[in-house]
Amino acid sequence: MAKLTFVGGIHPYDGKDLSKDRPIADVLPGNELVYPLSQHIGAPAKPIVAKGDRVLMGQKIAESGGFVSAPIYASVSGTVKTLEARRVVTGDQVMSIVVENDGQYEDVGFRPREDAKSLSREEIVDIIKEAGIVGMGGAGFPTHVKLSPKEPEKIDYVIANCAECEPYLTSDYRRMLEEPEKLVGGLRIALQLFPNATGILAVEDNKPDCVSLLRGLVKDDPKISVKALKTKYPQGGERQLIYATTGRRINSTMLPADVGCVVNNVDTIVAVYRAVMEGRPLIERIVTVTGDAVAVPQNFRVKIGTSYSQVLDAAGGFKSTPEKIICGGPMMGFGMFDLNVPTTKTSTALLALSKDEVSAMEPGPCINCGRCVEVCPGRVIPSRLADYAERFDEEAFLANYGMECCECGCCSFICPAKRPLTQQIKSMRKILLAKKKK
């Protein structure tokens, strides 16, 4: 029987053994928490507190700045210390709310409900919007927008992205093992929004324990199925996941809703469950701290706004001096130069490697081997697109479908000449997208 997958892809060392067997542990933050107002795609949130105000855990401290935006909530109780620009993980200075933690963790009083079946579509979407939930797989797209397509009756599938194909990351794996009821419950809530949809829990087959556990939970639910996908990177990419589970294709000009699909990752769906059933806004998330330079690789439940340095300390710090520190995974994450920056809604992992193999590479000339074409899930010719990008040939780049690149990194990984193909293509895409936006 053919396994559910897509054409292309690679099989890098996954590094998941470092942290996958360690249960989620709680991290208590330090004296100061920083809440950047831009933790999502779209307009920054607008502060609704002032210096000196006392706030409670779960209290809204910034409201949505528009339809494509999301509010922000305090994850501790304490006093607003200041509103000022603070450095974030990308190196940018972003206006932020700084709260001094009083260590009491006094909350606003969350109001759980026993059942969500009586809620209307509009009520559920409003709860999700007010909870400040965004895509927590890294994209940060406001979830209430994704769950509000123009024609909800045309949505056929709500897909829970449980693949977690990025090497080293194990936060979704632990979430599935430890809180599968919340994942399934969140998917059922999402299905209430779409009258004709069925749910899919899409899990890579290197997680047989999760597949078995989830199948047991939904065995009597005809609207939800569990699909085991072939373990391959980037199986969790939105386009690849939709094709593997439904056989439907999308390109760079389309949204999943255009082919009747809605996709959300594990942590996002659990956040939906907690907002609707527990009355809790998004104030924490699971973060993997891992890599061969970390003393005790672990998965942590982190209050948003906690410094990365504090999360690293909870993992025992470094056991050796890392040459490379990455926010996220090794394929699509980006390098960090400072750990004294806050975690946000989109923080997935902190990866510390003892060797920086990429920097040590010496790029050579293309040997026209075609390996980048074989592994490209976008079915383009990366070596050619990189040449066009290097020469700033925008017309040729567009003519050869350069915008179909999903920036997964497969071509750079497989290239025997060690050419930075993805980086060159990504740079050209940014230029073209910026021009289009202008």
Side-chain angles (χ1 to χ4, degrees), residues 159-214:
I159 304 170
N161 185 353
C162 312
E164 197 168 41
C165 64
E166 180 82 30
Y168 289 94
L169 273 58
T170 56
S171 57
D172 285 351
Y173 172 74
R174 293 308 314 179
R175 182 75 96 174
M176 285 186 280
L177 280 185
E178 297 182 38
E179 298 181 321
E181 297 86 359
K182 292 181 181 179
L183 172 60
V184 173
L187 182 56
R188 286 180 175 137
I189 290 169
L191 285 171
Q192 286 184 230
L193 306 177
F194 306 105
N196 302 317
T198 57
I200 298 174
L201 292 154
V203 192
E204 280 194 322
D205 59 8
N206 64 347
K207 307 173 184 67
D209 44 359
C210 292
V211 172
S212 176
L213 182 60
L214 293 172

Side-chain angles (χ1 to χ4, degrees), residues 109-399:
F110 305 117
R111 297 181 179 179
R113 57 171 46 88
E114 293 183 3
D115 190 5
K117 292 180 181 178
S118 62
L119 294 174
S120 67
R121 184 179 198 282
E122 292 73 22
E123 287 173 324
I124 292 174
V125 171
D126 190 59
I127 291 170
I128 292 168
K129 178 181 179 180
E130 276 302 301
I133 301 172
V134 303
M136 295 165 70
F141 192 79
T143 303
H144 71 276
V145 180
K146 184 178 283 191
L147 295 177
S148 303
K150 291 181 179 179
E151 299 175 297
E153 69 280 359
K154 291 187 177 180
I155 299 299
D156 301 316
Y157 300 102
V158 178
I159 304 170
N161 185 353
C162 312
E164 197 168 41
C165 64
E166 180 82 30
Y168 289 94
L169 273 58
T170 56
S171 57
D172 285 351
Y173 172 74
R174 293 308 314 179
R175 182 75 96 174
M176 285 186 280
L177 280 185
E178 297 182 38
E179 298 181 321
E181 297 86 359
K182 292 181 181 179
L183 172 60
V184 173
L187 182 56
R188 286 180 175 137
I189 290 169
L191 285 171
Q192 286 184 230
L193 306 177
F194 306 105
N196 302 317
T198 57
I200 298 174
L201 292 154
V203 192
E204 280 194 322
D205 59 8
N206 64 347
K207 307 173 184 67
D209 44 359
C210 292
V211 172
S212 176
L213 182 60
L214 293 172
R215 280 180 174 164
L217 286 175
V218 302
K219 66 181 189 303
D220 298 322
D221 191 335
K223 293 201 71 176
I224 299 178
S225 63
V226 179
K227 294 194 176 184
L229 312 177
K230 183 176 180 179
T231 300
K232 182 168 61 170
Y233 177 85
Q235 188 69 264
E238 204 167 56
R239 299 184 207 173
Q240 290 72 46
L241 191 73
I242 289 171
Y243 178 75
T245 55
T246 71
R248 301 180 181 186
R249 300 176 185 270
I250 61 172
N251 58 38
S252 63
T253 66
M254 301 169 67
L255 295 173
D258 294 332
V259 291
C261 298
V262 170
V263 183
N264 283 294
N265 99 308
V266 168
D267 234 5
T268 307
I269 294 176
V270 171
V272 167
Y273 175 88
R274 300 193 75 186
V276 175
M277 299 304 298
E278 299 176 7
R280 297 176 66 93
L282 180 55
I283 58 175
E284 62 186 26
R285 64 157 301 134
I286 311 300
V287 177
T288 302
V289 181
T290 187
D292 62 352
V294 173
V296 187
Q298 178 68 283
N299 299 285
F300 293 107
R301 184 177 287 104
V302 177
K303 293 188 181 298
I304 291 167
T306 304
S307 169
Y308 274 95
S309 62
Q310 294 164 9
V311 183
L312 174 65
D313 289 343
F318 296 128
K319 67 179 181 182
S320 61
T321 302
E323 287 188 0
K324 190 73 172 181
I325 302 175
I326 299 171
C327 175
M331 298 303 296
M332 296 194 74
F334 48 88
M336 296 179 66
F337 63 90
D338 185 1
L339 291 175
N340 293 310
V341 293
T343 54
T344 65
K345 297 176 184 181
T346 58
S347 299
T348 57
L350 175 65
L351 173 61
L353 303 173
S354 59
K355 298 293 182 185
D356 185 356
E357 297 179 3
V358 175
S359 295
M361 293 177 180
E362 290 290 338
C366 176
I367 61 173
N368 294 313
C369 65
R371 293 182 190 177
C372 62
V373 180
E374 291 176 359
V375 302
C376 178
R379 315 315 299 149
V380 296
I381 305 176
S383 57
R384 186 176 295 171
L385 292 175
D387 287 340
Y388 297 143
E390 200 170 13
R391 300 199 301 266
F392 294 99
D393 190 339
E394 297 178 8
E395 186 177 338
F397 186 88
L398 289 170

